[in-house]
Amino acid sequence: MDLLKPNPANSCPLTPLTFLERAATAYAESTSIIYNATTYTWSQTNRRCLQLASSIASLGIKRGRVVSVVAPNTPAMYELHFAVPMTGAVLNAINTRLDARMISVLLPHCESKLVFVDKLFLPLLVQAIAMFPAGTKPPALVLITDDEVSSSTTVNFHHTYEDLVKRGNPDFTWVRPDSEWDPMVLNYTSGTTSSPKGVVHSHRSIFIITVDSLLTWSVKRHPVYLWTLPMFHANGWSFPWGMAAVGGTNICLRKFDVALVYDLINRYDVTHMCGAPVVLNMLSNFPNAKPLKNPVQFLTGGATPPAAILLRAESLGFVVTHEYGLTETDGMVATCAWKPEWDKLTALDRAKLKTRQGVRTAGVTEVEVVDTHSGELVKRDGLSLGEVVVKGGCVMLGYLKDKETTSECIRDGWLHTGDVGVIHSDGYLEIKDRLKDVIISGGENVCSLEVEEVLYMNDGVVEAAVVARPDEFWGETPCAFLSVSGEVVEEKEIVEFCRERLPHYMVPKTVVVMEELPKNSTGKIQKGLLREIAKSMGSLSGNAN
Amino acid sequence: MDLLKPNPANSCPLTPLTFLERAATAYAESTSIIYNATTYTWSQTNRRCLQLASSIASLGIKRGRVVSVVAPNTPAMYELHFAVPMTGAVLNAINTRLDARMISVLLPHCESKLVFVDKLFLPLLVQAIAMFPAGTKPPALVLITDDEVSSSTTVNFHHTYEDLVKRGNPDFTWVRPDSEWDPMVLNYTSGTTSSPKGVVHSHRSIFIITVDSLLTWSVKRHPVYLWTLPMFHANGWSFPWGMAAVGGTNICLRKFDVALVYDLINRYDVTHMCGAPVVLNMLSNFPNAKPLKNPVQFLTGGATPPAAILLRAESLGFVVTHEYGLTETDGMVATCAWKPEWDKLTALDRAKLKTRQGVRTAGVTEVEVVDTHSGELVKRDGLSLGEVVVKGGCVMLGYLKDKETTSECIRDGWLHTGDVGVIHSDGYLEIKDRLKDVIISGGENVCSLEVEEVLYMNDGVVEAAVVARPDEFWGETPCAFLSVSGEVVEEKEIVEFCRERLPHYMVPKTVVVMEELPKNSTGKIQKGLLREIAKSMGSLSGNAN
């Protein structure tokens, strides 16, 4: 038995790129992409990707080099998810919401050789390149144009996207990875410009997250997938490759617009879509929203969806699956797997259960919650807080050029997510906060999210963020930053409001009202900055005493 | 980029055993198994498997040792697919249709330490052990009993199945593989007793074939799966593990009985089942067959299903997917992936297309047809014959204790299937024959299956097998062995019948009528034996001239 070793017929590297090759045969004449007046079949998409890959290779892009793209969810963005790794290069999809300064840090950081840039984002990119550190060679640019956005450009382009496709060789032999551990994609997570965190995934991890996500979400053959989730967010949670595996139709769109989304759902009989809870919120709050003709599977994650939003969305016909994942896993590692016996509950109770992150997906080996001090698994009591840790084939190789952060994140055999959660008695995970946002007051853990939830219940509160303020006596106390609507809200009033709804130690001891809370380029409230402000206020007890 | 290597958080071995662990949480109260009056939930099945595994380990079974089972599709057979590898041991499911002599060769060959035997097959096993070569230590036996079959036994058993389950530890820490390449299952393919071919698969290959099969067959969450396909046939094409991944309900049954199968389909709203074309044939020829209430997905393979059978089965409500696979891949590597545009064809044309083996599954890297001499890919013209070769993660580690046969089968980077086929212009594979059954007459390839198909069109023919007979002039000529019904069939008549329907070189030059054609223990016609008979007849031209 011991003599039987891996052999060349079974140890060929796992890679999701084979899905496209197969789609060209299995789904040859089925529609792969619809975008405005453009429609492709899978045999055309395969051909276009081969041509594009051959042109990229002919530009001298070598195995392991980085090729970037700054584009919305257009057909070009979709095709690049195949064509770039088909040359052996690493795809780096850049968040189009970043500012020029940030991009001017990222591109030199990954030594990007070639950047595909959508017409609309050309000014942003030109500005970013102008900000490159002196002596840094700028990457070559390829302009992506399409029938929707027209603009004239004064930049002299060597290449345009469609030219590269046109002049490429459809019989190109795509470059298979030498090893399934070869890097395939690079995604920067939002962070400060001082230390960009570039998450690198291998062909193997992308293969695993892709098949796992299809399986866990029960995606059948020939879905109609609407691209509401940006592909630059963790590669659209792996679904660019997933759609090739199941012969789906990709409905592309430039920009999230509620009326357009409803129009596309009806026009193309959309079956599947993804998005953050805020997308679900916009869809269900749309004044003209009518119940859907056919149920639409909606995968949501990135933040916990409030029960009220789930309730409203489901009443319109969205069948919501709540997932939990990270850029470090390129997609979901847990879902709130629905139990048939829950169907009997009231709609509100069902929605409340669905806010839980749930149970690991079929392909992920382990998701656990461990005590941050002892490293032991926490009790399954729904109360014991700990850090969520993950182990599985979809975990990243690491952060690019950052050994230190990589080994802080991956240690003791686990990926440390930085999320704090509990495990309920039925084994279901519920995320409570970000680890760094937990406030430790008098030895008690205060989850900032739980305090914020109560603050949001106050009609006057528009935005709320709770962080730790140093305290000589308690160690830390909760400090609330708010933006409010209408009349002036009194600090005392807010404290009183919280006292009626929260244990004493969780009530904010400080309330600061701002015009608007500071946010980063992806729209997230900058709690780090607020923490700095709270720190600068000094110790509360120290001041008071 | 090169500095990023596999790490402990992402290189944990792939194994399908994690599906059960997850099912115990994700599908805790959902029904896992139904068998007569017995019903289990997934949390119970997980617990029973842990208990059983702990008991097997306590019997001294070590990592890498073989544990065999001789049983029909009962709950015990299902549970052993998890419990045995959960101890680090290798599961060997033995075909219950084998005779004692064959089993007396296999068990010593794999040095099986422990055999689980169903009550009904105890006499067979006792007989087999009595035939062991002198000095070979017999394995320990565990008796499986259930509520269906009663029999008294005179053998003194140390252990019974339910006792092992009962006394086991539900908190047992199951043994994870050290490497995903560790052996997990061993399946003997039908062959002669002189050289048993024991196919060994790793945890990795079983993980891959399992998720791939679910994905390719579009199996959604909570299917109801009827166990018509024996689990001892390539582990039921991976579905024991697959059902744990999707939280299916396994409907177990001892024996294929058409009336019972229809009864179970209706009683439990079966959604999925598998079987050889002969099963489909029996189902569609059942005199009392009524159209199904709900469509049932039926996966068929192992032989090419005749179009007429497909037609009849689909008219009853079976939705047939035609797959191609081998014991050496433990499941399907190609399916006749259905194209929406084919829906417009007539029922007969649809059925004819469905007899093709089709296109590789999403998880398989490559399936090709290569010229047996040059090793080059054949033309995609539907005419050029070659051997089907496979490359992918589900390919076996090799044959146990048989380096020579392993390297004959796995060479040039491919698994050589021994099947002969063509690739049509649309890229779809069609199997024509077994390589060793092809007759080369005057330089032309004659596929025995094509000649047999014509012979079966003659109403008098019950069984037909065509093999090569040596010929001094032509090299080989087709020789037909037949069993016939009713009145005597003249050799001349048969030749004439074929002449009207086949090119001259394909027409049998010799026709031999027998009472019944010789078959092996799995019911396959023994073409090897018939070839020997044909050879012993001497050269036809030589005799004739």
Side-chain angles (χ1 to χ4, degrees):
Chain A
M1 204 65 85
D2 300 344
L3 299 173
L4 294 166
K5 300 284 176 213
N7 60 58
N10 64 22
S11 54
C12 29
L14 298 175
T15 167
L17 299 178
T18 54
F19 300 158
L20 179 60
E21 195 174 58
R22 171 176 173 268
T25 301
Y27 316 120
E29 301 308 317
S30 296
T31 304
S32 54
I33 295 180
I34 297 177
Y35 174 67
N36 298 330
T38 303
T39 301
Y40 296 123
T41 64
W42 280 108
S43 103
Q44 287 172 324
T45 294
N46 181 50
R47 193 186 166 89
R48 284 175 58 85
C49 289
L50 284 168
Q51 290 176 199
L52 183 58
S54 97
S55 288
I56 295 172
S58 75
L59 295 176
I61 300 298
K62 298 259 177 298
R63 201 188 275 271
R65 295 301 185 174
V66 173
V67 173
S68 303
V69 52
V70 185
N73 284 352
T74 59
M77 180 65 153
Y78 186 83
E79 291 167 345
L80 286 163
H81 271 75
F82 293 93
V84 170
M86 280 162 86
T87 68
V90 176
L91 176 72
N92 167 230
I94 287 183
N95 188 330
T96 58
R97 293 168 196 155
L98 296 180
D99 59 14
R101 194 172 54 98
M102 186 78 179
I103 295 177
S104 78
V105 174
L106 302 187
L107 291 178
H109 181 262
C110 64
E111 301 168 50
S112 187
K113 299 296 169 211
L114 186 65
V115 180
F116 286 83
V117 56
D118 184 88
K119 228 173 185 175
L120 201 66
F121 297 98
L122 183 60
L124 176 72
L125 198 69
V126 169
Q127 200 190 342
I129 289 175
M131 294 165 88
F132 267 26
T136 308
K137 200 185 158 197
L141 297 185
V142 179
L143 185 70
I144 306 170
T145 60
D146 66 38
D147 57 1
E148 188 166 336
V149 172
S150 66
S151 81
S152 61
T153 166
T154 53
V155 180
N156 199 352
F157 272 89
H158 290 291
H159 312 290
T160 66
Y161 186 83
E162 285 301 327
D163 280 348
L164 289 192
V165 172
K166 238 174 264 165
R167 75 171 201 225
N169 172 14
D171 298 320
F172 177 67
T173 304
W174 62 276
V175 181
R176 285 177 193 269
D178 285 333
S179 151
E180 64 194 33
W181 295 100
D182 282 358
M184 176 170 162
V185 293
L186 162 67
N187 297 304
Y188 286 99
T189 63
S190 63
T192 60
T193 52
S194 58
S195 57
K197 278 163 75 176
V199 173
V200 179
H201 279 282
S202 66
H203 285 261
R204 172 182 162 111
S205 89
I206 299 297
F207 176 92
I208 290 172
I209 193 71
T210 303
V211 298
D212 190 20
S213 299
L214 292 170
L215 193 61
T216 304
W217 199 17
S218 274
V219 181
K220 291 190 77 165
R221 235 187 329 275
H222 299 304
V224 180
Y225 185 87
L226 180 61
W227 272 106
T228 35
L229 177 74
M231 289 186 224
F232 58 68
H233 273 326
N235 302 114
W237 304 347
S238 87
F239 291 106
W241 304 293
M243 287 304 115
V246 293
T249 298
N250 293 280
I251 313 292
C252 288
L253 73 170
R254 279 202 159 258
K255 203 172 162 295
F256 183 85
D257 172 277
V258 184
L260 173 64
V261 164
Y262 275 112
D263 178 44
L264 293 173
I265 288 174
N266 288 319
R267 198 178 334 155
Y268 298 116
D269 291 324
V270 166
T271 60
H272 290 74
M273 57 194 288
C274 297
V278 61
V279 170
L280 216 44
N281 195 12
M282 287 190 278
L283 286 170
S284 48
N285 281 338
F286 185 57
N288 301 331
K290 287 181 208 131
L292 300 169
K293 271 190 304 181
N294 301 306
V296 173
Q297 300 293 327
F298 195 108
L299 188 67
T300 193
T304 302
I309 292 178
L310 289 175
L311 207 57
R312 237 176 300 149
E314 300 221 311
S315 73
L316 285 170
F318 293 100
V319 182
V320 182
T321 300
H322 176 206
E323 64 88 17
Y324 168 71
L326 306 94
T327 305
E328 285 78 355
T329 59
D330 213 54
M332 57 179 171
V333 294
T335 63
C336 187
W338 197 249
K339 292 175 186 283
E341 57 264 33
W342 290 347
D343 286 338
K344 283 173 258 158
L345 302 174
T346 66
L348 184 62
D349 284 341
R350 289 202 308 268
K352 275 185 190 161
L353 277 170
K354 202 170 264 189
T355 65
R356 295 183 181 172
Q357 278 69 16
V359 56
R360 67 181 160 86
T361 60
V364 169
T365 311
E366 286 175 84
V367 174
E368 292 289 356
V369 173
V370 297
D371 187 278
T372 47
H373 298 291
S374 68
E376 300 286 311
L377 301 188
V378 299
K379 275 194 216 146
R380 305 195 151 213
D381 56 6
L383 294 168
S384 304
L385 288 174
E387 185 176 11
V388 181
V389 292
V390 177
K391 190 182 280 193
C394 64
V395 167
M396 65 170 178
L397 285 169
Y399 298 113
L400 182 65
K401 298 179 183 171
D402 195 344
K403 220 172 158 176
E404 198 182 313
T405 314
T406 300
S407 53
E408 267 168 32
C409 179
I410 296 176
R411 61 190 151 81
D412 313 325
W414 294 98
L415 170 79
H416 289 253
T417 64
D419 285 320
V420 168
V422 297
I423 303 270
H424 289 277
S425 57
D426 63 358
Y428 274 47
L429 167 72
E430 185 179 348
I431 305 283
K432 292 289 189 176
D433 208 347
R434 289 291 297 163
L435 184 57
K436 61 183 181 209
D437 294 339
V438 172
I439 301 146
I440 301 169
S441 190
E444 297 285 351
N445 288 313
V446 178
C447 288
S448 63
L449 292 180
E450 291 185 321
V451 184
E452 287 159 14
E453 237 168 64
V454 168
L455 289 166
Y456 275 117
M457 287 162 65
N458 187 307
D459 287 338
V461 170
V462 174
E463 295 175 309
V466 175
V467 299
R469 178 174 175 185
D471 189 290
E472 271 182 22
F473 185 72
W474 298 107
E476 295 174 350
T477 57
C479 170
F481 289 86
L482 305 175
S483 73
V484 296
S485 70
E487 58 208 284
V488 181
V489 176
E490 290 284 327
E491 179 173 338
K492 259 200 239 167
E493 220 177 284
I494 291 290
V495 171
E496 200 48 51
F497 184 84
C498 290
R499 279 225 175 110
E500 287 166 15
R501 291 166 177 82
L502 285 170
H504 193 269
Y505 71 95
M506 289 177 74
V507 175
K509 301 284 173 292
T510 320
V511 177
V512 180
V513 176
M514 302 173 102
E515 199 162 315
E516 194 185 343
L517 300 194
K519 296 185 199 66
N520 71 7
S521 56
T522 65
K524 278 191 190 168
I525 293 171
Q526 290 181 295
K527 281 203 172 174
L529 187 61
L530 295 177
R531 243 190 310 270
E532 290 306 312
I533 298 173
K535 217 185 229 172
S536 70
M537 293 178 189
S539 166
L540 185 61
S541 299
N543 287 352
N545 292 350
Chain B
M1 203 65 84
D2 300 343
L3 299 174
L4 294 167
K5 300 286 174 214
N7 60 57
N10 63 23
S11 55
C12 30
L14 298 175
T15 168
L17 299 178
T18 54
F19 299 158
L20 179 60
E21 195 173 59
R22 171 177 174 268
T25 302
Y27 315 121
E29 300 308 316
S30 296
T31 304
S32 54
I33 295 180
I34 297 178
Y35 175 67
N36 298 331
T38 303
T39 301
Y40 296 123
T41 64
W42 279 107
S43 104
Q44 288 172 323
T45 294
N46 180 50
R47 192 185 165 90
R48 284 175 58 86
C49 288
L50 283 168
Q51 291 177 196
L52 183 58
S54 95
S55 288
I56 294 172
S58 74
L59 294 177
I61 300 298
K62 298 258 177 298
R63 203 186 274 272
R65 295 301 185 174
V66 173
V67 173
S68 304
V69 52
V70 184
N73 284 352
T74 58
M77 180 66 153
Y78 186 83
E79 290 167 345
L80 286 164
H81 271 75
F82 292 93
V84 170
M86 280 163 87
T87 68
V90 176
L91 176 72
N92 166 230
I94 287 184
N95 188 330
T96 57
R97 293 168 194 153
L98 296 180
D99 59 16
R101 194 172 53 100
M102 187 77 179
I103 296 176
S104 78
V105 173
L106 301 187
L107 291 178
H109 181 262
C110 64
E111 301 169 50
S112 187
K113 299 296 170 212
L114 186 65
V115 180
F116 286 83
V117 55
D118 183 89
K119 230 174 185 175
L120 201 65
F121 297 98
L122 182 60
L124 176 72
L125 198 70
V126 170
Q127 199 190 342
I129 290 176
M131 295 166 87
F132 268 26
T136 308
K137 200 185 159 198
L141 297 186
V142 180
L143 185 70
I144 307 170
T145 60
D146 67 35
D147 56 3
E148 189 168 335
V149 172
S150 67
S151 80
S152 63
T153 166
T154 54
V155 180
N156 199 353
F157 272 89
H158 290 291
H159 312 290
T160 67
Y161 186 83
E162 285 301 326
D163 279 348
L164 289 191
V165 173
K166 238 174 263 163
R167 74 170 202 224
N169 172 14
D171 298 320
F172 177 66
T173 305
W174 61 276
V175 181
R176 285 178 193 270
D178 284 333
S179 151
E180 65 195 32
W181 294 100
D182 282 358
M184 176 170 161
V185 292
L186 163 66
N187 296 304
Y188 286 98
T189 64
S190 62
T192 59
T193 52
S194 59
S195 58
K197 279 162 74 177
V199 173
V200 179
H201 279 281
S202 65
H203 285 261
R204 172 181 162 113
S205 89
I206 298 297
F207 177 92
I208 290 172
I209 193 71
T210 303
V211 298
D212 190 19
S213 299
L214 292 170
L215 194 60
T216 304
W217 198 19
S218 275
V219 181
K220 291 189 77 166
R221 235 187 327 277
H222 298 304
V224 179
Y225 185 86
L226 179 61
W227 272 106
T228 36
L229 178 73
M231 290 186 222
F232 59 68
H233 272 326
N235 301 116
W237 304 346
S238 85
F239 291 106
W241 303 293
M243 286 305 114
V246 292
T249 299
N250 294 280
I251 313 291
C252 288
L253 73 171
R254 276 200 161 259
K255 204 172 162 295
F256 184 84
D257 172 277
V258 183
L260 173 65
V261 164
Y262 274 113
D263 177 45
L264 293 173
I265 289 174
N266 287 320
R267 198 178 334 156
Y268 298 116
D269 290 324
V270 165
T271 60
H272 290 74
M273 57 194 287
C274 297
V278 61
V279 170
L280 216 43
N281 195 12
M282 287 190 278
L283 286 169
S284 48
N285 281 337
F286 184 56
N288 301 330
K290 288 182 207 130
L292 300 168
K293 271 190 303 182
N294 301 305
V296 173
Q297 301 292 327
F298 194 109
L299 188 67
T300 192
T304 302
I309 292 178
L310 289 174
L311 208 57
R312 239 176 299 150
E314 301 221 310
S315 72
L316 285 170
F318 292 100
V319 182
V320 182
T321 300
H322 176 206
E323 63 88 16
Y324 169 70
L326 307 93
T327 305
E328 284 79 355
T329 59
D330 213 53
M332 57 180 171
V333 293
T335 62
C336 186
W338 197 248
K339 293 174 186 284
E341 58 265 33
W342 290 348
D343 286 339
K344 284 174 257 157
L345 302 175
T346 65
L348 184 62
D349 284 343
R350 290 202 307 268
K352 276 185 190 164
L353 277 170
K354 202 170 263 189
T355 65
R356 295 184 181 170
Q357 278 69 17
V359 55
R360 67 180 161 86
T361 59
V364 169
T365 312
E366 285 175 85
V367 174
E368 292 290 355
V369 174
V370 297
D371 187 279
T372 48
H373 298 291
S374 69
E376 299 287 312
L377 300 188
V378 299
K379 275 193 216 143
R380 305 193 152 213
D381 56 7
L383 295 168
S384 303
L385 288 175
E387 186 177 10
V388 181
V389 292
V390 176
K391 190 182 279 191
C394 63
V395 167
M396 65 169 178
L397 286 168
Y399 297 113
L400 182 65
K401 299 181 184 170
D402 195 343
K403 219 173 161 179
E404 199 182 312
T405 313
T406 301
S407 54
E408 267 169 33
C409 178
I410 296 176
R411 60 191 151 81
D412 312 325
W414 293 98
L415 170 79
H416 289 254
T417 64
D419 286 319
V420 168
V422 297
I423 302 272
H424 289 278
S425 57
D426 63 358
Y428 274 47
L429 166 72
E430 185 179 348
I431 305 283
K432 292 290 188 176
D433 210 345
R434 289 290 298 165
L435 185 56
K436 61 183 181 208
D437 294 339
V438 172
I439 301 147
I440 302 168
S441 190
E444 296 286 351
N445 287 314
V446 178
C447 288
S448 62
L449 291 179
E450 292 185 321
V451 184
E452 287 159 14
E453 237 167 65
V454 168
L455 288 167
Y456 275 118
M457 288 162 65
N458 186 307
D459 288 338
V461 171
V462 174
E463 294 175 309
V466 175
V467 299
R469 176 175 174 183
D471 188 291
E472 272 183 21
F473 185 75
W474 298 108
E476 294 175 349
T477 57
C479 171
F481 288 86
L482 307 175
S483 72
V484 296
S485 70
E487 58 209 285
V488 181
V489 177
E490 289 285 327
E491 179 174 338
K492 259 199 238 165
E493 221 178 284
I494 291 291
V495 171
E496 200 49 49
F497 184 85
C498 290
R499 278 224 177 110
E500 285 166 16
R501 291 165 177 85
L502 286 170
H504 194 268
Y505 71 95
M506 288 177 73
V507 174
K509 301 285 174 290
T510 319
V511 176
V512 181
V513 176
M514 301 172 103
E515 199 162 313
E516 196 187 342
L517 301 193
K519 297 185 199 68
N520 71 5
S521 56
T522 65
K524 277 192 189 167
I525 294 173
Q526 291 181 294
K527 280 203 175 178
L529 187 61
L530 295 177
R531 243 192 309 273
E532 289 305 314
I533 297 174
K535 217 185 229 170
S536 71
M537 293 178 191
S539 166
L540 185 61
S541 301
N543 287 352
N545 291 349

